[in-house]
Amino acid sequence: MVSKRWRRLRNKIWRNRTAWQRSFSLLVLLPLCVLTVYFLMVCSERYVAEARFAVKGNESTQFDVFSGLAGIPNQGSSSIDSFILQEYFGSRALVEQIEKEIPLEVLFNRERVDAWSRMGYGLSMEDKVMYWRKRVRSSYDPTTTITLLRVTAFRSEDAVILAKAIMRHSERLINQLSEQARNDELAFAQQEVTLAEKRVTQARQAMSAFRNKYRYVDPTQAATAKMALIAELEGQVAAHQAELKASLAFMNAKAPAVQTLRRTIHALRAQIKKEKETVGGTDRVESEKISQIFSNYEPLLVEQTFAERAYASALASLETARVEAVRKHRYLASFVEPMLPQEALEPNRWKSVLTSGLALSLLWGMSMLGVGVIRDHLGWV
């Protein structure tokens, strides 16, 4: 009697059904029942701790016309650091640093946690990072430059502990990036100052060696003084020649006054010749001609002038870099701290069931459509 009832029930439920109904039962209803039991009765509750923050700095953002027309915000250093944080939240480096402080296997393997939700023991670091990315999620709004951090755990205290640890390491990372950028900028400016200082020292040493060799502090001034002396002597010669001509008008050529004027003129001309030889000719007293000394002096003077100007410019750039380094300091501004959640927000059980049912129905419909196309193509009945 029981076997007849069982056969009758089996025929009613299964054998009297079409192939489409059987496939729908196997591919949709049965998995959906299993998932419904899991989501409504087995799946462990997860608490969510949220934090909101922004990376701030004092640097001024330049307006880009094309970005403004396209509605794309300018990407400054703070925005770049925010994107770096997005990658850092799911990185292995962060997981390793957190694991040194907090036992992740203990937090994610609490009692009464279902087998599908727990982390498990003895996992490799790659598997831990994959599980970590399921529990730690973040989003960044480039318009407001605000980052949202969501951390889920099976206890509210664990979620807050993890969120605060992530915030602490994120702040440390931003400080390191800011400090590194400032040090790099200052190091470059300091290197330019060192090179300019070395150039100035070499130019001054070359100038000092030149002066010690030729006994001239400034050959340009010496040459100018020589030319002024020659011009003064030529003026005296012209004056004495005029006086001699006037004296010969009423005196004898052998008169003592006339002879004195002639000797004076002769001496002045000899002195002029000597001074001109000092400037441009051959003079046994002088070791070098002034013109040759001047040709050696001019490149040294130009090099010293440019070296001193470059050194002054490098010092100004270093001071500017120091001011900019202080002004471009970036920091993590947290305005929503992780708070202790009072109720579990995940999983959204009925939403998960409905989503699973919809996904299974779509897969079944696509499968049946594919089977129908194949049958029509092969000419099956």
Side-chain angles (χ1 to χ4, degrees):
M1 190 69 180
V2 176
S3 60
K4 290 182 179 180
R5 289 181 178 179
W6 169 249
R7 285 196 299 268
R8 194 181 306 114
L9 180 62
R10 185 181 59 181
N11 293 334
K12 181 179 180 180
I13 295 176
W14 184 255
R15 289 188 175 181
N16 294 334
R17 302 297 176 182
T18 63
W20 295 85
Q21 292 174 339
R22 293 176 182 179
S23 63
F24 184 81
S25 300
L26 289 175
L27 299 178
V28 178
L29 294 181
L30 183 60
L32 183 60
C33 291
V34 175
L35 292 175
T36 301
V37 171
Y38 171 74
F39 284 120
L40 297 182
M41 303 179 62
V42 179
C43 186
S44 302
E45 294 182 341
R46 297 191 297 270
Y47 295 86
V48 180
E50 291 187 355
R52 297 176 185 268
F53 59 88
V55 179
K56 294 296 183 181
N58 297 323
E59 70 270 11
S60 58
T61 304
Q62 296 182 354
F63 179 74
D64 188 359
V65 178
F66 296 101
S67 298
L69 293 176
I72 302 175
N74 293 328
Q75 301 297 327
S77 300
S78 300
S79 299
I80 295 175
D81 290 344
S82 298
F83 286 114
I84 292 176
L85 282 180
Q86 298 298 306
E87 299 296 328
Y88 181 68
F89 289 149
S91 66
R92 176 175 177 174
L94 178 60
V95 176
E96 291 179 348
Q97 292 176 0
I98 295 294
E99 197 170 24
K100 293 178 181 178
E101 305 173 1
I102 303 172
L104 297 180
E105 290 186 352
V106 175
L107 263 66
F108 293 121
N109 291 293
R110 296 288 187 184
E111 296 181 359
R112 299 181 180 179
V113 177
D114 64 277
W116 291 100
S117 300
R118 65 175 59 239
M119 172 186 283
Y121 294 95
L123 297 179
S124 63
M125 184 55 65
E126 288 74 14
D127 293 335
K128 288 182 180 180
V129 172
M130 292 179 62
Y131 184 86
W132 171 269
R133 292 173 180 173
K134 297 178 182 178
R135 298 291 174 254
V136 177
R137 300 184 297 272
S138 63
S139 60
Y140 172 69
D141 187 357
T143 304
T144 60
T145 68
I146 294 177
T147 300
L148 170 63
L149 176 65
R150 291 173 57 90
V151 180
T152 60
F154 302 106
R155 291 174 55 183
S156 57
E157 297 84 357
D158 296 342
V160 175
I161 291 174
L162 285 177
K164 289 184 177 180
I166 295 173
M167 291 290 294
R168 185 168 58 253
H169 286 283
S170 300
E171 185 176 4
R172 186 181 306 169
L173 176 64
I174 293 300
N175 293 335
Q176 290 177 355
L177 293 176
S178 179
E179 185 68 20
Q180 182 179 358
R182 295 200 306 269
N183 291 337
D184 291 343
E185 188 173 356
L186 290 176
F188 177 77
Q190 186 64 47
Q191 183 180 3
E192 293 296 321
V193 171
T194 303
L195 294 176
E197 186 176 9
K198 183 178 179 181
R199 182 180 179 184
V200 169
T201 302
Q202 293 176 351
R204 290 177 177 176
Q205 289 177 352
M207 182 64 72
S208 178
F210 173 84
R211 289 168 177 170
N212 293 332
K213 180 179 179 180
Y214 295 109
R215 305 298 178 183
Y216 280 110
V217 177
D218 190 348
T220 304
Q221 295 181 357
T224 303
K226 288 288 185 180
M227 297 304 296
L229 178 59
I230 292 173
E232 183 180 356
L233 292 176
E234 288 178 347
Q236 293 180 8
V237 169
H240 284 85
Q241 284 181 344
E243 185 179 356
L244 176 60
K245 187 176 181 181
S247 299
L248 290 174
F250 61 88
M251 295 178 63
N252 189 354
K254 294 182 179 182
V258 175
Q259 295 296 328
T260 301
L261 287 174
R262 286 178 177 176
R263 285 193 294 271
T264 303
I265 293 172
H266 180 72
L268 290 172
R269 287 176 176 174
Q271 184 65 29
I272 291 173
K273 182 179 179 181
K274 181 179 179 181
E275 296 297 336
K276 287 183 177 181
E277 288 178 353
T278 303
V279 175
T282 302
D283 188 8
R284 300 299 181 181
V285 180
E286 300 288 343
S287 60
E288 292 288 341
K289 295 183 295 184
I290 294 295
S291 59
Q292 295 177 353
I293 296 175
F294 185 80
S295 64
N296 295 331
Y297 172 77
E298 187 175 14
L300 296 177
L301 180 62
V302 172
E303 174 63 19
Q304 183 178 1
T305 303
F306 276 101
E308 290 176 349
R309 291 180 179 177
Y311 180 64
S313 177
L315 287 177
S317 299
L318 177 60
E319 188 63 26
T320 303
R322 288 175 179 172
V323 175
E324 289 294 323
V326 175
R327 189 175 64 86
K328 290 183 178 180
H329 175 68
R330 299 187 297 275
Y331 58 93
L332 191 70
S334 176
F335 57 92
V336 176
E337 295 290 339
M339 303 297 292
L340 187 68
Q342 296 182 354
E343 61 177 304
L345 298 180
E346 294 183 3
N348 193 332
R349 302 182 185 276
W350 287 109
K351 180 180 179 181
S352 300
V353 171
L354 294 177
T355 304
S356 301
L358 180 61
L360 292 172
S361 300
L362 289 175
L363 290 176
W364 175 80
M366 295 175 63
S367 301
M368 293 300 100
L369 182 62
V371 171
V373 171
I374 294 174
R375 285 183 175 181
D376 292 340
H377 182 71
L378 297 178
W380 292 355
V381 179

